[in-house]
Amino acid sequence: MADKYILAVDQGTTSSRAIVFDKRGNTKSLAQKEFRQIYPKAGWVEHDGARIWSTQSSVASEAITEAGLHAEDIAAIGITNQRETTLLWDRKTGQPVYNAIVWQDRRTSDFCDDLKEQEGLVEKIREKTGLIIDAYFSATKIKWILDNVDGVRKRAENGGLAFGTVDSWLIWNFTRGETHVTDATNASRTMLYNIHEGEWDAEILELLDIPKSLLPEVKSSSEVYGETKILAENIPIAGIAGDQQAALFGQRCITPGMVKNTYGTGCFMVMNTGDNPILSENNLLTTIAWEIDDHVEYALEGSIFIAGAVVQWLRDEIGIIREASEVEGLAASVKDNNGVYLVPAFSGLGAPHWNQHARGTMVGLTRGANAGHIARAALESIAYQTMDVITAMEADSGIEIKELRVDGGATANDLLMQFQSDLLQVPVIRPKTLETTALGAAYLAGLAVGYWKNQEEINKQWQEDKTFTPEKSADQVQQLRAGWNKALDTAMHWSGK
């Protein structure tokens, strides 16, 4: 297979991407298309499922063509995806019954509050699934569609509908409806999957009145699930992982205690905990890192809802930059934040606060505050939220983090990476390949078809690009943290909850 390549399909929150990788893990080509974000009401976020598929299939073809290859040059396809985003579709026509409800969507927040009032339910859900009860996860999104879209519940109870996270939706379409599967990493993000027993949980399904017939078959993260009927006949689809687990695998954080942070639309920090599913005492999530050859490894995760999306907000809604790439220069035009803090709780606050009613807040404004200070506060908010998660992660695991491996688009921003190292007082290491999410999916697919012999072979491919080391003193950091904590309190008090 030396002359063949792996195609990684990376379906994200704001764009669909496809990357062709060679045997050394190098990027041969990349294609990307953004798609529309739909906001029907405050706190609601949707995607057009048909548009997800059309953009993803077109960039897959484009990436192969751009690499100067033909479909027969692809040894396997790996899929990684935005997690928790929920689709229901008709098994005969393949048509979605409603828009995809995106992981950021908060429409079921009040219902989740009601669930939390039920005695012992928070603990039961946490023990079974590793998750907290929150609108973030797929379960209550499924229930909302069943309860609110005309005729859907009856069709579901009659076995006519399928549920899937985005990986399942893509595979269904790639195989023209022949294959309805997901993998353990995506299943573990639904709030319906028992991560200890490795199966859909009958008790939770009954509680939420969700028919089991909707659900996909759960497979490992590295095996042949089916073959494409799109692009070309018979390319094996052989790897699946939710985006953050794929990034952990791509960053080669395969030893317990290793941590990566992905700076995408949201920010997601994951610590490998090996065979041990640590139940968090600090509002982190326990999740499946991956399942390979019937062996499950676990992770602790902190999910930050708004990271890179705050830069898009500056561009699209506030208009102080024309391109996302301009934010670093604007932020660097001032020497510090001038006391301005921005808490981007546009979709509530994720880990470790989990306040789904908090809203975005900017504090510390004076007459001298300008666009540079606001840009700087926006970038710094990403690093502060990461700091909060790391603090919780160290407390849960009992492991003092020695370094942070980083990936995702925002890691190209040196100002942000330096500030992150200053806040954490540890080295922040950026790899040469920033496409670690797609690379993780490629590795999982390649291992399944023998493209790479074993994990030892791919371990040798990880290379450091740049290491950022702390430049600020501990006292300076303490002052900055105090300002951030006051801003956080303001954002949470605004909600009244």
Side-chain angles (χ1 to χ4, degrees):
M1 289 191 183
D3 57 343
K4 291 206 168 193
Y5 299 84
I6 302 290
L7 175 66
V9 164
D10 182 358
Q11 205 298 302
T13 307
T14 57
S15 69
S16 295
R17 308 164 80 241
I19 304 178
V20 175
F21 291 100
D22 67 16
K23 195 74 181 280
R24 294 184 297 279
N26 296 320
T27 299
K28 179 85 171 167
S29 67
L30 183 154
Q32 178 171 351
K33 282 186 181 175
E34 290 194 5
F35 53 85
R36 186 167 69 101
Q37 307 296 299
I38 304 167
Y39 306 107
K41 295 182 183 179
W44 292 30
V45 190
E46 297 177 0
H47 292 155
D48 178 347
R51 190 68 182 148
I52 288 176
W53 167 241
S54 66
T55 54
Q56 193 63 74
S57 58
S58 67
V59 293
S61 297
E62 191 179 320
I64 293 170
T65 302
E66 193 175 303
L69 303 174
H70 300 286
E72 54 265 29
D73 298 317
I74 303 300
I77 296 172
I79 292 176
T80 184
N81 55 285
Q82 54 167 315
R83 304 168 305 169
E84 298 94 17
T85 294
T86 297
L87 291 114
L88 267 66
W89 64 89
D90 188 285
R91 288 183 180 274
K92 287 184 179 175
T93 67
Q95 293 300 307
V97 301
Y98 188 78
N99 278 338
I101 301 182
V102 180
W103 56 273
Q104 298 162 317
D105 189 281
R106 310 306 298 166
R107 76 187 65 188
T108 62
S109 293
D110 289 341
F111 176 66
C112 288
D113 286 343
D114 293 342
L115 289 177
K116 290 174 189 174
E117 295 298 316
Q118 295 188 31
E119 186 176 350
L121 191 57
V122 169
E123 292 76 15
K124 181 176 286 187
I125 295 288
R126 182 167 160 269
E127 285 169 8
K128 285 172 176 270
T129 70
L131 308 178
I132 64 165
I133 296 174
D134 194 83
Y136 177 33
F137 304 109
S138 309
T140 60
K141 301 180 196 303
I142 299 171
K143 180 171 172 57
W144 188 92
I145 295 173
L146 291 173
D147 291 344
N148 289 278
V149 182
D150 285 347
V152 164
R153 178 169 288 284
K154 186 172 183 181
R155 290 164 68 189
E157 289 170 349
N158 290 338
L161 301 183
F163 152 73
T165 42
V166 171
D167 57 307
S168 298
W169 172 240
L170 294 179
I171 291 173
W172 177 278
N173 282 285
F174 270 125
T175 62
R176 294 196 189 276
E178 288 185 4
T179 308
H180 185 210
V181 299
T182 188
D183 88 303
T185 70
N186 280 290
S188 75
R189 311 297 298 188
T190 59
M191 212 177 84
L192 297 172
Y193 189 70
N194 190 310
I195 62 172
H196 311 286
E197 296 177 4
E199 58 187 33
W200 299 115
D201 193 275
E203 187 178 5
I204 301 174
L205 289 171
E206 184 177 355
L207 170 76
L208 296 178
D209 197 15
I210 295 173
K212 191 175 182 183
S213 62
L214 278 173
L215 305 177
E217 183 181 359
V218 181
K219 300 279 198 175
S220 78
S221 306
S222 181
E223 63 176 279
V224 175
Y225 313 102
E227 295 179 332
T228 56
K229 308 297 179 189
I230 309 292
L231 302 178
E233 292 286 330
N234 307 325
I235 304 174
I237 302 168
I240 310 172
D243 49 12
Q244 304 318 315
Q245 291 97 328
L248 190 72
F249 199 74
Q251 282 275 39
R252 308 313 297 142
C253 292
I254 56 173
T255 304
M258 292 186 76
V259 184
K260 72 89 203 172
N261 195 25
T262 296
Y263 298 76
T265 303
C267 216
F268 301 89
M269 192 174 317
V270 187
M271 171 188 276
N272 185 321
T273 63
D275 298 336
N276 184 20
I278 297 171
L279 287 180
S280 175
E281 300 295 328
N282 292 280
N283 293 321
L284 300 181
L285 307 176
T286 307
T287 197
I288 291 176
W290 46 74
E291 180 180 343
I292 300 175
D293 295 331
D294 296 322
H295 179 70
V296 176
E297 293 196 39
Y298 295 90
L300 274 175
E301 179 177 323
S303 305
I304 296 163
F305 297 150
I306 301 292
V310 74
V311 178
Q312 294 172 326
W313 175 73
L314 293 179
R315 180 193 68 188
D316 300 339
E317 312 302 334
I318 306 303
I320 62 173
I321 52 174
R322 287 170 300 179
E323 301 290 338
S325 57
E326 295 173 8
V327 71
E328 183 173 7
L330 183 56
S333 70
V334 293
K335 70 179 191 304
D336 56 37
N337 68 3
N338 195 28
V340 177
Y341 291 85
L342 171 60
V343 182
F346 305 145
S347 302
L349 285 168
H353 313 289
W354 289 106
N355 185 324
Q356 57 192 359
H357 300 284
R359 287 295 175 263
T361 308
M362 197 183 308
V363 300
L365 293 171
T366 63
R367 183 65 182 82
N370 61 33
H373 298 122
I374 293 171
R376 195 173 189 105
L379 282 183
E380 289 181 351
S381 74
I382 301 170
Y384 283 121
Q385 292 177 95
T386 298
M387 171 193 71
D388 288 345
V389 173
I390 282 227
T391 302
M393 207 165 262
E394 289 180 327
D396 277 333
S397 65
I399 299 170
E400 187 176 331
I401 292 168
K402 299 290 192 289
E403 66 178 36
L404 179 66
R405 292 189 176 188
V406 298
D407 55 69
T411 57
N413 189 313
D414 285 2
L415 186 150
L416 172 59
M417 292 298 98
Q418 182 57 56
F419 189 72
Q420 188 72 83
S421 178
D422 288 337
L423 277 187
L424 300 178
Q425 297 284 286
V426 299
V428 168
I429 304 173
R430 183 171 65 199
K432 282 193 173 176
T433 299
L434 289 180
E435 301 292 350
T436 50
T437 303
L439 185 58
Y443 282 154
L444 289 166
L447 285 169
V449 298
Y451 185 77
W452 289 289
K453 292 196 299 287
N454 50 42
Q455 293 208 47
E456 287 70 32
E457 182 180 355
I458 60 180
N459 285 346
K460 297 169 186 173
Q461 296 184 359
W462 189 89
Q463 290 181 296
E464 176 186 319
D465 170 50
K466 185 172 182 178
T467 296
F468 299 85
T469 55
E471 294 177 356
K472 293 187 188 300
S473 70
D475 287 344
Q476 288 174 302
V477 170
Q478 199 56 43
Q479 284 184 325
L480 290 165
R481 290 183 74 154
W484 168 251
N485 288 331
K486 285 167 66 179
L488 264 182
D489 286 345
T490 303
M492 289 194 272
H493 280 121
W494 175 258
S495 70
K497 298 190 180 185

